[in-house]
Amino acid sequence: MTKITTGASVSLDGFIVGPDETGFEHLFQWYGNGDVHIETTSENVPINVTEASAGVMRDLIAETGCFVVGRHLFDITNGWGGVHTLGIPYVVVTHSVPDGWERESEHHEFVTTGFDDAIAAAKRRAGDKDVGLNAGTIAAQGLAAGIVDEVQLDLVPVVLGAGTPFFSGLTGAPYVLEGPIRSVQGDRVTHLRYRVVRR
Amino acid sequence: MTKITTGASVSLDGFIVGPDETGFEHLFQWYGNGDVHIETTSENVPINVTEASAGVMRDLIAETGCFVVGRHLFDITNGWGGVHTLGIPYVVVTHSVPDGWERESEHHEFVTTGFDDAIAAAKRRAGDKDVGLNAGTIAAQGLAAGIVDEVQLDLVPVVLGAGTPFFSGLTGAPYVLEGPIRSVQGDRVTHLRYRVVRR
């Protein structure tokens, strides 16, 4: 059965991005701290992680059938050039299809009719696999909608002080989770996976 | 040598208190989730934790010679009735000595001349033991001043959405840490200890 998950590299104080789009050199340092190469569609920024982190990443890649992302991430990555870095299809929640892009392809889809429709589209694409919600506003909407099954924190030993929270603009808190149901120590990252307790 | 530490129960999104002083039933649930009793000076709220968490708490109690707390925590606990729950002396950073209290005793001390003097007073009281900074504004001042050696997150699987951050009003971020140098899984809490990297 398709699970809905969300996960991200996050600072000890809960931020997935630091102030003014900073902090990535800390949050993503673990992507370069090992000698196990993870194949991606963009080898400009190679991912070489520890064996421990590689296990976590391989599972993520194998289990995730589609991502749901917001327009902001789409814009700053320019849609990963058309194909997501991990080769996984993605659905963009947006008000309009950006200039120069098809509404959908094998690799992507823009949904302009709201969050629920985006989730439905992602589930269709994911088939038996999981749907992965981008951390930030999308994850917050999913948690508030009661549809998130699991949350993974890739907890990084840095304090950023401010920035974008993992669940941005969250309503309806508190939310209780169980776990960690998986805990893996990498190099400058602790991978902690939790299950959301259904209300 | 005296170390300066800080630690607290913290939600997955980084809050030590939820909105409007809520969330304690989640953040402190692990204090009642086991059968190992921790002796305190106030048995109204008995602490009974798992063996794993007891080990962490016993080390904290054995290693900490004095706490530094803010006036807010002092006020809401009414100074723990005069003696801190864990029997450890505490120094309060405040603008004025509250009515009905001596400036200092065996168990407590009010410092009205600023943060640095409070740290100095706590170090005198701690002797060879550690000084523990209360999470929140005191921890943030300590981190910004470059005097914090170790940070312990008692990470609780709840999302509070808003509230008081572990480092409140922090300036000078980012701060890089190492670790976890210790990781202990309790019941509804993961005790993670980090070392602050000196600049």
Side-chain angles (χ1 to χ4, degrees):
Chain A
M1 194 188 122
T2 295
K3 281 184 302 192
I4 298 187
T5 68
T6 183
S9 289
V10 60
S11 68
L12 294 186
D13 49 348
F15 298 108
I16 58 170
V17 181
D20 304 321
E21 310 277 337
T22 60
F24 297 116
E25 75 279 24
H26 302 295
L27 291 171
F28 300 136
Q29 193 183 335
W30 65 274
Y31 280 112
N33 274 4
D35 53 12
V36 181
H37 184 65
I38 302 289
E39 275 199 44
T40 69
T41 60
S42 165
E43 294 293 314
N44 296 333
V45 185
I47 298 180
N48 296 293
V49 296
T50 61
E51 184 57 46
S53 291
V56 172
M57 288 201 74
R58 286 192 197 108
D59 288 348
L60 172 80
I61 295 167
E63 291 165 6
T64 306
C66 189
F67 288 117
V68 178
V69 307
R71 179 64 186 265
H72 181 65
L73 182 61
F74 173 86
D75 283 343
I76 63 176
T77 64
N78 189 31
W80 296 275
V83 182
H84 189 282
T85 312
L86 299 178
I88 294 169
Y90 61 88
V91 168
V92 186
V93 185
T94 180
H95 293 294
S96 60
V97 177
D99 288 344
W101 286 78
E102 301 288 326
R103 180 171 285 269
E104 59 181 282
S105 76
E106 177 191 353
H107 299 295
H108 82 280
E109 181 172 343
F110 297 99
V111 173
T112 53
T113 51
F115 180 77
D116 293 349
D117 287 346
I119 297 295
K123 280 184 170 174
R124 280 194 299 274
R125 286 179 175 261
D128 293 338
K129 293 188 175 182
D130 296 346
V131 168
L133 306 188
N134 192 236
T137 55
I138 302 292
Q141 285 184 75
L143 193 61
I147 61 171
V148 176
D149 297 293
E150 291 179 8
V151 174
Q152 180 162 314
L153 303 185
D154 300 317
L155 190 65
V156 173
V158 64
V159 174
L160 294 175
T164 306
F166 193 110
F167 296 103
S168 300
L170 183 66
T171 57
Y175 294 92
V176 177
L177 294 87
E178 291 174 340
I181 57 176
R182 186 181 188 186
S183 175
V184 174
Q185 183 59 43
D187 181 21
R188 294 202 63 73
V189 64
T190 307
H191 307 283
L192 297 167
R193 199 167 183 88
Y194 295 91
R195 187 181 295 122
V196 179
V197 175
R198 291 302 174 104
R199 292 175 172 181
Chain B
M1 193 189 123
T2 295
K3 280 183 302 193
I4 298 186
T5 68
T6 183
S9 289
V10 61
S11 67
L12 295 187
D13 49 348
F15 299 108
I16 58 170
V17 181
D20 303 321
E21 309 277 338
T22 60
F24 298 115
E25 74 278 26
H26 302 294
L27 291 172
F28 300 135
Q29 192 183 334
W30 66 272
Y31 280 114
N33 274 5
D35 54 12
V36 182
H37 185 65
I38 302 289
E39 275 199 44
T40 69
T41 60
S42 165
E43 294 293 314
N44 296 333
V45 185
I47 299 180
N48 295 294
V49 296
T50 61
E51 185 56 48
S53 291
V56 172
M57 288 201 73
R58 286 192 197 106
D59 289 347
L60 172 80
I61 294 166
E63 291 165 6
T64 306
C66 189
F67 289 117
V68 179
V69 307
R71 179 63 186 267
H72 181 66
L73 182 62
F74 173 86
D75 283 343
I76 63 175
T77 64
N78 189 32
W80 297 273
V83 182
H84 190 281
T85 313
L86 300 179
I88 294 168
Y90 60 87
V91 169
V92 186
V93 185
T94 180
H95 292 294
S96 60
V97 176
D99 288 345
W101 286 78
E102 300 289 325
R103 179 171 287 270
E104 60 181 282
S105 77
E106 178 190 352
H107 298 295
H108 82 279
E109 182 171 343
F110 297 99
V111 172
T112 54
T113 49
F115 181 77
D116 293 349
D117 286 346
I119 297 295
K123 280 184 171 175
R124 279 194 299 274
R125 284 177 177 262
D128 293 338
K129 293 188 176 184
D130 295 346
V131 169
L133 305 188
N134 191 237
T137 55
I138 301 292
Q141 286 183 73
L143 194 60
I147 61 171
V148 176
D149 297 293
E150 292 179 7
V151 174
Q152 180 163 313
L153 304 185
D154 300 317
L155 191 66
V156 173
V158 65
V159 174
L160 294 176
T164 306
F166 192 110
F167 296 102
S168 300
L170 183 65
T171 57
Y175 294 92
V176 176
L177 294 85
E178 291 173 340
I181 56 175
R182 186 181 188 186
S183 175
V184 174
Q185 184 59 44
D187 181 21
R188 293 202 63 73
V189 63
T190 307
H191 307 284
L192 296 168
R193 198 167 183 89
Y194 295 91
R195 187 180 295 124
V196 179
V197 175
R198 293 302 175 104
R199 292 175 172 181

